[in-house]
Amino acid sequence: AQSVAQPEDQVNVAEGNPLTVKCTYSVSGNPYLFWYVQYPNRGLQFLLKYITGDNLVKGSYGFEAEFNKSQTSFHLKKPSALVSDSALYFCAVREKEYGNKLVFGAGTILRVKS
Amino acid sequence: DGGITQSPKYLFRKEGQNVTLSCEQNLNHDAMYWYRQDPGQGLRLIYYSQIVNDFQKGDIAEGYSVSREKKESFPLTVTSAQKNPTAFYLCASSSLMRGYEQYFGPGTRLTVT
């Protein structure tokens, strides 16, 4: 079965500094990877995905993610953090054999302080 | 939250009662999903449906039931058999032809006392 792990429960960063939220994956075959963001009491918003092609994927709100096959990682990054980026972030991987369901990591809380 | 609506936003029920959560989408997506979110556990799949009149159990289907009579609608019933129903429930949909990303509704917070 496919799985993803988010090793950090929480990441703290100062406004204006670069941020990284980590994700590692375990899949058979080529992974389809996704990042989502969730604000309190809201649904998840899609940020970006990697299916194939360039290892650096650009997404919404200035976020990007780097796919690294040798390290089985898909870290989310942003060059300059905003206080409004503070939220819960989820990494996910597609399970092709089960209706294309997504398997989610436990989530990482990002706190950006001014 | 795209073209997916969930109602109600908050729902309160007494233990032993069945309750149905609504999910509607106007994205013309074939696939729809129900997830349960508990603090610190991410999202877990309850049921999914790829076409009308067909659905499959997810990882935690016990105590839940669904129907898919229309492409746009995928209601979830939380039955009295669900031992710990208090949670945040999220509905999602996706196109099976492109992208595979899922789009989520705003969620329903169910509290059972």
Side-chain angles (χ1 to χ4, degrees), chain B residues 18-58:
Chain B
N18 292 354
V19 59
T20 297
L21 282 59
S22 168
C23 177
E24 304 277 334
Q25 56 101 356
N26 62 3
L27 301 169
N28 199 33
H29 284 168
D30 295 301
M32 296 187 73
Y33 309 81
W34 274 105
Y35 292 91
R36 170 183 172 135
Q37 185 177 21
D38 296 283
Q41 294 193 45
L43 278 71
R44 292 179 291 169
L45 183 67
I46 304 172
Y47 269 97
Y48 66 94
S49 169
Q50 293 183 272
I51 57 173
V52 174
N53 293 322
D54 186 56
F55 47 83
Q56 305 296 328
K57 293 181 179 180

Side-chain angles (χ1 to χ4, degrees), chain A residues 17-107:
Chain A
N17 283 1
L19 70 86
T20 298
V21 183
K22 296 180 180 178
C23 173
T24 59
Y25 65 89
S26 174
V27 303
S28 55
N30 296 320
Y32 286 27
L33 296 160
F34 304 82
W35 274 103
Y36 285 83
V37 61
Q38 185 181 32
Y39 296 96
N41 294 310
R42 301 289 298 275
L44 275 67
Q45 295 178 32
F46 169 70
L47 284 178
L48 50 81
K49 66 183 177 187
Y50 172 83
I51 295 179
T52 187
D54 290 341
N55 290 340
L56 186 63
V57 179
K58 294 189 182 297
S60 306
Y61 313 118
F63 284 94
E64 56 190 29
E66 186 172 8
F67 173 71
N68 188 316
K69 189 172 183 178
S70 63
Q71 297 185 7
T72 62
S73 66
F74 188 56
H75 300 333
L76 182 70
K77 300 182 179 184
K78 188 174 184 181
S80 178
L82 300 172
V83 172
S84 58
D85 292 330
S86 298
L88 180 59
Y89 290 81
F90 289 101
C91 180
V93 64
R94 171 193 172 221
E95 275 269 21
K96 179 181 177 182
E97 288 77 18
Y98 295 96
N100 293 301
K101 79 171 188 180
L102 295 181
V103 176
F104 287 85

